[in-house]
Amino acid sequence: MRTSIATVSLSGSLTEKLTAAARAGFDGVEIFENDLLASPLAPREIRARCADLGLGIDLYQPMRDIEALPAGEFARALRRARHKFEVMRGLGADTVLVCSGVSPRAVDDDALAAAQLSRLADLAQDFGIRVAYEALAWGRHVSTYDHAWRIVEAAGHPALGTCLDSFHILSRSRGPEDLDGIGDIPGEKIFFLQLADAPLPGMDVLQWSRHHRCFPGQGGFDVAGLLERVLRTGYGGPLSLEVFNDVVRQAGAGPTAVDARRSLLLLQEETGIEVLPAPAVPTGVAFAELVTRDAEPVTGLLTGLGFARTARHRGKPVDLWERGEARILVNTGPAAPAHPLPHGSGATPADGTALTAIGLESPDPAAAARRAEALLAPVLPRRRAAEDVPLDAVAAPDGTELFLCATDRPRLPDWRADFQDAPGQHPAAPDRPAAFRIDHVALTQPWHRFDEAVLFHRGVLGLDAQESVDVADPYGLLRSRAVTSADGRVRFPLTVGAAPGDDTAQARHIALATDDVVADARRLTRAGGRLLPIPANYYDDLAARFEFADGELETYRDLGILYDRDAHGAFRHCYTHTVGRVFFELVQRDDGYRGYGAANAPVRLAAQHTARWATAG
Amino acid sequence: MRTSIATVSLSGSLTEKLTAAARAGFDGVEIFENDLLASPLAPREIRARCADLGLGIDLYQPMRDIEALPAGEFARALRRARHKFEVMRGLGADTVLVCSGVSPRAVDDDALAAAQLSRLADLAQDFGIRVAYEALAWGRHVSTYDHAWRIVEAAGHPALGTCLDSFHILSRSRGPEDLDGIGDIPGEKIFFLQLADAPLPGMDVLQWSRHHRCFPGQGGFDVAGLLERVLRTGYGGPLSLEVFNDVVRQAGAGPTAVDARRSLLLLQEETGIEVLPAPAVPTGVAFAELVTRDAEPVTGLLTGLGFARTARHRGKPVDLWERGEARILVNTGPAAPAHPLPHGSGATPADGTALTAIGLESPDPAAAARRAEALLAPVLPRRRAAEDVPLDAVAAPDGTELFLCATDRPRLPDWRADFQDAPGQHPAAPDRPAAFRIDHVALTQPWHRFDEAVLFHRGVLGLDAQESVDVADPYGLLRSRAVTSADGRVRFPLTVGAAPGDDTAQARHIALATDDVVADARRLTRAGGRLLPIPANYYDDLAARFEFADGELETYRDLGILYDRDAHGAFRHCYTHTVGRVFFELVQRDDGYRGYGAANAPVRLAAQHTARWATAG
């Protein structure tokens, strides 16, 4: 029989995946949509590459949320489908996988599902395409293979069949009798068969206990609620931490013990046993500091981004670059390489530019530093030189220096007092000064310290931790969890690589908020800057998913601007090239949009790998 | 309040853990028994170390399977407890944790549990010790904190109280009302409180699907059974693999594609679609080959183990060392470093001695090679030089060369024909030649290829895969899974480190079966060899757990022999020092004993870390 493999089952770029599949002797592949979107190859080029390799494209996948929808919604889904069929024509693929829907707007109506799948199959037939409908194990209304088959049978359309997937079937099977229904399906109506195995769950409470315990505040238990009840009994013994955890078993004992004690201090504070200095939640990002031996590449980039050098430190080779409320310090001092560079940045001075410090706008820097110290954060020397403004600073778990400071606020020393105006230099783009600021700073973290970092930013700085998100990089899954202030003026997505050795794989980045990302992207390219090229396939997909004004999408495509939308608003963003271990992002955030464009991250990460190799090559 | 941390919550040696806890400002520690057993410090030395560091020992843990037992069993449990109380006297610890039992021999009888815990508390009181009884979430008859408290209350013994553990309580809690019972416990009867958090399970079918799918034959699903049913429908489309897996996402696409195709070939064979050359299951280990630049350290060790150099390769600097049926090739050729060394060994020629090849005694070497080739194993050149005996060989996924060969069998060329007797050299210890042989070869595997390696040995060689076992190394959890022939003449425990970077952390080892491990251990030490020193605490624990003949345990302690017992028989084993990336184990296996001494592995691994540092220092 013919053998195939889904591109999602292999690591790397689409080209690497296709080559590996062909060399191992597979006859064909399933093209996973995200691999197509992230590829710089056009569908016809992918087709040609496959033909050269002797591979057929046996399936294009997945299409989803297309059946049992309200009429308007279904019309939009058909529009998306037509677009995908055009992509498939380019690929020369003749079978598309349609998964049972998960949309809350779908209705539980098999007849409607059958009718709409028939309509889809009509359209597919025009393209010479067959539709294979598969029940996802977690489908909203259709989650079993026999249910999916009943709908396909009811539709009775020659271009509509079913796809069987061993994972979806066996993960829900309680015994062999659950498979009897397969015998009722005529073989010619099974358009495709996907095979995977899986370890049986076995995540019983014993496994949970032995591998996944964590320190209080790093999981989902109400440990404080439990402690309060125990304290009310009059218990006077020790509070003792007992954690069995696969990551902790590998992490250095010293930092883990500090993390553990901090967790316990926060728990004691929460339950009123311990009084700590109250948090002084930062209200903004005063500056980000880059350390570099060779300032030219990064200052060239800053100039292209509309920054101007406005001041220089009185005693050290540190320049202040400003645009609007965004401030970047560029530190080229001989002292710079002696700084302990952040662990998470994976940076050594030899790597060039690294992001090593952040200035946090603090309502009460001294109080914030007292809290940090009480919570075991290493406090850094208050002044670097005798004549400098005393600045409170602490080290985050990843080694990043966090300066607790004030910009232009009464009764608080201004950190800029150490800087002297650069003669003849003034901020450029004075037209929209306040509209330009640091939106977020993405901080890569050491693999072993991710949970600690989240708890640190939450407990020490008083930021809120958002949901953890998995992001697919071509070479492994990354995890990202943002810590933010309530009003969003401080946002640090903390990210971590797929494995311990990956600490160095990802650069850190500074996202700059603008109210006109197109204008700023153009300014940069006019200044000779390069924006990260985004594959055309991504824009073809955007066209299928959203409606744009005339010319809008073309502009995004030309510049490499990515687009996302949530229930609240839209998000437009683009990326500069990477200098050393740092790159910049320009973001235009509609007020309501809350995220960071996570849906676009796989495409962006793949493009960064491509660009890196292009440079390296 | 006083704060403590369990030593199991920190990584490293006991000394590292204590130092880290003290530096982070904890007041005390819980000593986890395995950390004590693995430590070279005697209990009184641990006490002194803690005192120096300003740490109290707030708890000793765990004691288990002591309540609601049949009389004879309880008497043995009390004997064990007395021994532990003596250890605690040495430590100066005054509270012991007793977990609710998991033994199938325990009965569901709260009154008996209370009576026996009272007896235990009587004994504890004589030592000035308090017993804190805790419900494990997976306890056999007692699994909730309120149940444990009812038993403690019924016992009414001043030296018996309860221990509350947030993990065990909250992992079973369905809501805050489940915690109401805490209010019924008087604070002074809560002898201890252990705190941990945990991520909420959330391992729903979606997470299972997106992170843990694997190739057929690598999980627990009956994929072949499903495929058979689909084939009976007349399905004629492709067999396509669709696997979402966190490890695969990081692993090189080329080897993964080969692994995937091999999985599919085996599935096709199992379902009768594809006919492959039948397996020729190896019947024994003909030899193990070590590559080294400096033979002296390893040949010295072999001599001490009773081996003698019996032959030399006609054309290459490869010596055959033999004792009984155990044969080791020592390859010092200039060609040796050019060999591709096994990935899993983490070896480079500069590291010195490495285990790079294994000779498998094959009933039909040519057929075995045909099967391996059909299953995409790289086939190695059949002869190294024109005059050599043609030898079939394939490469395992970790790069180890597997020679399919015959020793002294009619109608098959003997691989030893390429070797000429070393003049005047004959095997030593001719008294028990057959009793000495290679019992098993432990092969460290590259982190990304562990599942592939298991499937390879199972599918290509026809070995059986045993259960996967987690083993606690001081610096992370290792995984080990043995592949074996039915009669146990071929046994390869495949092991993998805690994280991708750890490929190099573990050396490979050859276990030699003897019928008198004591005599062989003595022989080695008389010859000036070193056996791995095992901490005295381990033997004190053995004394509490098993009965030994007079002097037996002292002998084991003197030599560093470890002891284990399963339902079938006993196992005695000891370890040599490590040469390059290889060490040897001497094992005496009672016929029925099936394992590899996994219970002793944490002590052995800790001792190896200690020995390495001792050498390094």
PDB file of all heavy atoms in Angstrom, chain A residues 321-342:
ATOM      1  N   TRP A 321      18.724  56.931  23.794  1.00  0.00           N
ATOM      2  CA  TRP A 321      18.019  57.103  22.526  1.00  0.00           C
ATOM      3  C   TRP A 321      16.537  57.199  22.833  1.00  0.00           C
ATOM      4  O   TRP A 321      16.002  56.391  23.583  1.00  0.00           O
ATOM      5  CB  TRP A 321      18.303  55.919  21.592  1.00  0.00           C
ATOM      6  CG  TRP A 321      19.718  55.927  21.077  1.00  0.00           C
ATOM      7  CD1 TRP A 321      20.850  55.619  21.761  1.00  0.00           C
ATOM      8  CD2 TRP A 321      20.126  56.268  19.748  1.00  0.00           C
ATOM      9  NE1 TRP A 321      21.952  55.753  20.966  1.00  0.00           N
ATOM     10  CE2 TRP A 321      21.544  56.142  19.708  1.00  0.00           C
ATOM     11  CE3 TRP A 321      19.456  56.680  18.585  1.00  0.00           C
ATOM     12  CZ2 TRP A 321      22.295  56.403  18.553  1.00  0.00           C
ATOM     13  CZ3 TRP A 321      20.191  56.934  17.442  1.00  0.00           C
ATOM     14  CH2 TRP A 321      21.593  56.799  17.430  1.00  0.00           C
ATOM     15  N   GLU A 322      15.872  58.205  22.227  1.00  0.00           N
ATOM     16  CA  GLU A 322      14.459  58.402  22.553  1.00  0.00           C
ATOM     17  C   GLU A 322      13.608  58.589  21.311  1.00  0.00           C
ATOM     18  O   GLU A 322      14.047  59.146  20.311  1.00  0.00           O
ATOM     19  CB  GLU A 322      14.280  59.668  23.410  1.00  0.00           C
ATOM     20  CG  GLU A 322      14.806  59.533  24.807  1.00  0.00           C
ATOM     21  CD  GLU A 322      14.447  60.778  25.629  1.00  0.00           C
ATOM     22  OE1 GLU A 322      13.324  60.816  26.169  1.00  0.00           O
ATOM     23  OE2 GLU A 322      15.287  61.704  25.698  1.00  0.00           O
ATOM     24  N   ARG A 323      12.413  58.098  21.419  1.00  0.00           N
ATOM     25  CA  ARG A 323      11.355  58.519  20.501  1.00  0.00           C
ATOM     26  C   ARG A 323      10.063  58.443  21.284  1.00  0.00           C
ATOM     27  O   ARG A 323       9.691  57.363  21.792  1.00  0.00           O
ATOM     28  CB  ARG A 323      11.280  57.623  19.272  1.00  0.00           C
ATOM     29  CG  ARG A 323      10.163  58.079  18.339  1.00  0.00           C
ATOM     30  CD  ARG A 323      10.013  57.265  17.091  1.00  0.00           C
ATOM     31  NE  ARG A 323       8.735  57.609  16.486  1.00  0.00           N
ATOM     32  CZ  ARG A 323       8.112  56.884  15.582  1.00  0.00           C
ATOM     33  NH1 ARG A 323       8.677  55.758  15.145  1.00  0.00           N
ATOM     34  NH2 ARG A 323       6.945  57.261  15.113  1.00  0.00           N
ATOM     35  N   GLY A 324       9.379  59.573  21.399  1.00  0.00           N
ATOM     36  CA  GLY A 324       8.176  59.611  22.216  1.00  0.00           C
ATOM     37  C   GLY A 324       8.504  59.144  23.612  1.00  0.00           C
ATOM     38  O   GLY A 324       9.474  59.596  24.230  1.00  0.00           O
ATOM     39  N   GLU A 325       7.733  58.205  24.114  1.00  0.00           N
ATOM     40  CA  GLU A 325       7.993  57.685  25.457  1.00  0.00           C
ATOM     41  C   GLU A 325       8.882  56.454  25.446  1.00  0.00           C
ATOM     42  O   GLU A 325       9.080  55.830  26.489  1.00  0.00           O
ATOM     43  CB  GLU A 325       6.677  57.340  26.155  1.00  0.00           C
ATOM     44  CG  GLU A 325       5.866  58.565  26.522  1.00  0.00           C
ATOM     45  CD  GLU A 325       4.613  58.187  27.305  1.00  0.00           C
ATOM     46  OE1 GLU A 325       4.401  56.976  27.551  1.00  0.00           O
ATOM     47  OE2 GLU A 325       3.863  59.092  27.652  1.00  0.00           O
ATOM     48  N   ALA A 326       9.345  56.069  24.282  1.00  0.00           N
ATOM     49  CA  ALA A 326      10.229  54.902  24.208  1.00  0.00           C
ATOM     50  C   ALA A 326      11.673  55.348  24.402  1.00  0.00           C
ATOM     51  O   ALA A 326      12.128  56.256  23.706  1.00  0.00           O
ATOM     52  CB  ALA A 326      10.063  54.196  22.870  1.00  0.00           C
ATOM     53  N   ARG A 327      12.343  54.709  25.362  1.00  0.00           N
ATOM     54  CA  ARG A 327      13.737  55.084  25.646  1.00  0.00           C
ATOM     55  C   ARG A 327      14.606  53.835  25.667  1.00  0.00           C
ATOM     56  O   ARG A 327      14.268  52.851  26.311  1.00  0.00           O
ATOM     57  CB  ARG A 327      13.835  55.787  26.997  1.00  0.00           C
ATOM     58  CG  ARG A 327      13.038  57.070  27.060  1.00  0.00           C
ATOM     59  CD  ARG A 327      13.012  57.670  28.445  1.00  0.00           C
ATOM     60  NE  ARG A 327      11.800  58.476  28.558  1.00  0.00           N
ATOM     61  CZ  ARG A 327      10.670  58.039  29.127  1.00  0.00           C
ATOM     62  NH1 ARG A 327      10.601  56.833  29.655  1.00  0.00           N
ATOM     63  NH2 ARG A 327       9.621  58.837  29.157  1.00  0.00           N
ATOM     64  N   ILE A 328      15.712  53.925  24.931  1.00  0.00           N
ATOM     65  CA  ILE A 328      16.646  52.805  24.880  1.00  0.00           C
ATOM     66  C   ILE A 328      18.017  53.314  25.290  1.00  0.00           C
ATOM     67  O   ILE A 328      18.467  54.344  24.788  1.00  0.00           O
ATOM     68  CB  ILE A 328      16.750  52.229  23.435  1.00  0.00           C
ATOM     69  CG1 ILE A 328      15.360  51.929  22.840  1.00  0.00           C
ATOM     70  CG2 ILE A 328      17.667  51.007  23.402  1.00  0.00           C
ATOM     71  CD1 ILE A 328      14.703  50.681  23.311  1.00  0.00           C
ATOM     72  N   LEU A 329      18.663  52.616  26.208  1.00  0.00           N
ATOM     73  CA  LEU A 329      20.040  52.945  26.550  1.00  0.00           C
ATOM     74  C   LEU A 329      20.957  52.018  25.766  1.00  0.00           C
ATOM     75  O   LEU A 329      20.720  50.809  25.708  1.00  0.00           O
ATOM     76  CB  LEU A 329      20.293  52.749  28.049  1.00  0.00           C
ATOM     77  CG  LEU A 329      19.466  53.615  28.999  1.00  0.00           C
ATOM     78  CD1 LEU A 329      19.869  53.329  30.453  1.00  0.00           C
ATOM     79  CD2 LEU A 329      19.655  55.097  28.680  1.00  0.00           C
ATOM     80  N   VAL A 330      21.971  52.619  25.162  1.00  0.00           N
ATOM     81  CA  VAL A 330      22.958  51.810  24.449  1.00  0.00           C
ATOM     82  C   VAL A 330      24.278  51.959  25.199  1.00  0.00           C
ATOM     83  O   VAL A 330      24.846  53.049  25.267  1.00  0.00           O
ATOM     84  CB  VAL A 330      23.093  52.265  22.984  1.00  0.00           C
ATOM     85  CG1 VAL A 330      24.169  51.442  22.274  1.00  0.00           C
ATOM     86  CG2 VAL A 330      21.747  52.128  22.263  1.00  0.00           C
ATOM     87  N   ASN A 331      24.716  50.859  25.777  1.00  0.00           N
ATOM     88  CA  ASN A 331      25.879  50.857  26.664  1.00  0.00           C
ATOM     89  C   ASN A 331      27.052  50.202  25.944  1.00  0.00           C
ATOM     90  O   ASN A 331      27.037  49.011  25.658  1.00  0.00           O
ATOM     91  CB  ASN A 331      25.499  50.065  27.927  1.00  0.00           C
ATOM     92  CG  ASN A 331      26.602  50.061  28.966  1.00  0.00           C
ATOM     93  OD1 ASN A 331      27.771  50.318  28.658  1.00  0.00           O
ATOM     94  ND2 ASN A 331      26.232  49.756  30.193  1.00  0.00           N
ATOM     95  N   THR A 332      28.073  51.028  25.637  1.00  0.00           N
ATOM     96  CA  THR A 332      29.231  50.487  24.916  1.00  0.00           C
ATOM     97  C   THR A 332      30.475  50.502  25.775  1.00  0.00           C
ATOM     98  O   THR A 332      31.587  50.407  25.267  1.00  0.00           O
ATOM     99  CB  THR A 332      29.514  51.314  23.647  1.00  0.00           C
ATOM    100  OG1 THR A 332      29.567  52.694  24.029  1.00  0.00           O
ATOM    101  CG2 THR A 332      28.458  51.111  22.599  1.00  0.00           C
ATOM    102  N   GLY A 333      30.269  50.684  27.055  1.00  0.00           N
ATOM    103  CA  GLY A 333      31.411  50.864  27.939  1.00  0.00           C
ATOM    104  C   GLY A 333      32.296  49.638  28.019  1.00  0.00           C
ATOM    105  O   GLY A 333      31.840  48.528  27.788  1.00  0.00           O
ATOM    106  N   PRO A 334      33.556  49.889  28.351  1.00  0.00           N
ATOM    107  CA  PRO A 334      34.430  48.733  28.566  1.00  0.00           C
ATOM    108  C   PRO A 334      33.927  47.915  29.751  1.00  0.00           C
ATOM    109  O   PRO A 334      34.208  46.737  29.862  1.00  0.00           O
ATOM    110  CB  PRO A 334      35.796  49.372  28.867  1.00  0.00           C
ATOM    111  CG  PRO A 334      35.520  50.786  29.231  1.00  0.00           C
ATOM    112  CD  PRO A 334      34.211  51.176  28.601  1.00  0.00           C
ATOM    113  N   ALA A 335      33.158  48.573  30.633  1.00  0.00           N
ATOM    114  CA  ALA A 335      32.614  47.862  31.787  1.00  0.00           C
ATOM    115  C   ALA A 335      31.525  46.884  31.360  1.00  0.00           C
ATOM    116  O   ALA A 335      31.256  45.911  32.035  1.00  0.00           O
ATOM    117  CB  ALA A 335      32.036  48.848  32.792  1.00  0.00           C
ATOM    118  N   ALA A 336      30.921  47.205  30.202  1.00  0.00           N
ATOM    119  CA  ALA A 336      29.730  46.450  29.821  1.00  0.00           C
ATOM    120  C   ALA A 336      29.931  44.933  29.841  1.00  0.00           C
ATOM    121  O   ALA A 336      29.174  44.215  30.480  1.00  0.00           O
ATOM    122  CB  ALA A 336      29.251  46.911  28.449  1.00  0.00           C
ATOM    123  N   PRO A 337      30.983  44.439  29.193  1.00  0.00           N
ATOM    124  CA  PRO A 337      31.133  42.987  29.158  1.00  0.00           C
ATOM    125  C   PRO A 337      31.330  42.373  30.538  1.00  0.00           C
ATOM    126  O   PRO A 337      31.137  41.188  30.721  1.00  0.00           O
ATOM    127  CB  PRO A 337      32.369  42.782  28.277  1.00  0.00           C
ATOM    128  CG  PRO A 337      32.461  44.040  27.466  1.00  0.00           C
ATOM    129  CD  PRO A 337      31.969  45.123  28.378  1.00  0.00           C
ATOM    130  N   ALA A 338      31.736  43.185  31.524  1.00  0.00           N
ATOM    131  CA  ALA A 338      31.923  42.648  32.860  1.00  0.00           C
ATOM    132  C   ALA A 338      30.594  42.424  33.576  1.00  0.00           C
ATOM    133  O   ALA A 338      30.512  41.687  34.534  1.00  0.00           O
ATOM    134  CB  ALA A 338      32.795  43.591  33.676  1.00  0.00           C
ATOM    135  N   HIS A 339      29.553  43.107  33.098  1.00  0.00           N
ATOM    136  CA  HIS A 339      28.217  42.893  33.660  1.00  0.00           C
ATOM    137  C   HIS A 339      27.870  41.425  33.609  1.00  0.00           C
ATOM    138  O   HIS A 339      28.176  40.747  32.624  1.00  0.00           O
ATOM    139  CB  HIS A 339      27.154  43.591  32.786  1.00  0.00           C
ATOM    140  CG  HIS A 339      26.947  45.013  33.136  1.00  0.00           C
ATOM    141  ND1 HIS A 339      25.803  45.461  33.687  1.00  0.00           N
ATOM    142  CD2 HIS A 339      27.751  46.081  32.987  1.00  0.00           C
ATOM    143  CE1 HIS A 339      25.889  46.777  33.866  1.00  0.00           C
ATOM    144  NE2 HIS A 339      27.069  47.176  33.449  1.00  0.00           N
ATOM    145  N   PRO A 340      27.193  40.924  34.609  1.00  0.00           N
ATOM    146  CA  PRO A 340      26.660  39.579  34.430  1.00  0.00           C
ATOM    147  C   PRO A 340      25.519  39.661  33.415  1.00  0.00           C
ATOM    148  O   PRO A 340      24.536  40.357  33.645  1.00  0.00           O
ATOM    149  CB  PRO A 340      26.140  39.199  35.820  1.00  0.00           C
ATOM    150  CG  PRO A 340      25.905  40.500  36.527  1.00  0.00           C
ATOM    151  CD  PRO A 340      26.770  41.544  35.869  1.00  0.00           C
ATOM    152  N   LEU A 341      25.695  39.039  32.284  1.00  0.00           N
ATOM    153  CA  LEU A 341      24.645  39.108  31.266  1.00  0.00           C
ATOM    154  C   LEU A 341      23.521  38.164  31.657  1.00  0.00           C
ATOM    155  O   LEU A 341      23.748  37.159  32.313  1.00  0.00           O
ATOM    156  CB  LEU A 341      25.212  38.731  29.898  1.00  0.00           C
ATOM    157  CG  LEU A 341      26.251  39.736  29.363  1.00  0.00           C
ATOM    158  CD1 LEU A 341      26.807  39.250  28.043  1.00  0.00           C
ATOM    159  CD2 LEU A 341      25.643  41.113  29.200  1.00  0.00           C
ATOM    160  N   PRO A 342      22.312  38.474  31.272  1.00  0.00           N
ATOM    161  CA  PRO A 342      21.186  37.626  31.672  1.00  0.00           C
ATOM    162  C   PRO A 342      21.417  36.186  31.208  1.00  0.00           C
ATOM    163  O   PRO A 342      21.794  35.942  30.079  1.00  0.00           O
ATOM    164  CB  PRO A 342      20.005  38.247  30.938  1.00  0.00           C
ATOM    165  CG  PRO A 342      20.413  39.645  30.654  1.00  0.00           C
ATOM    166  CD  PRO A 342      21.900  39.621  30.479  1.00  0.00           C
TER     167      PRO A 342
END
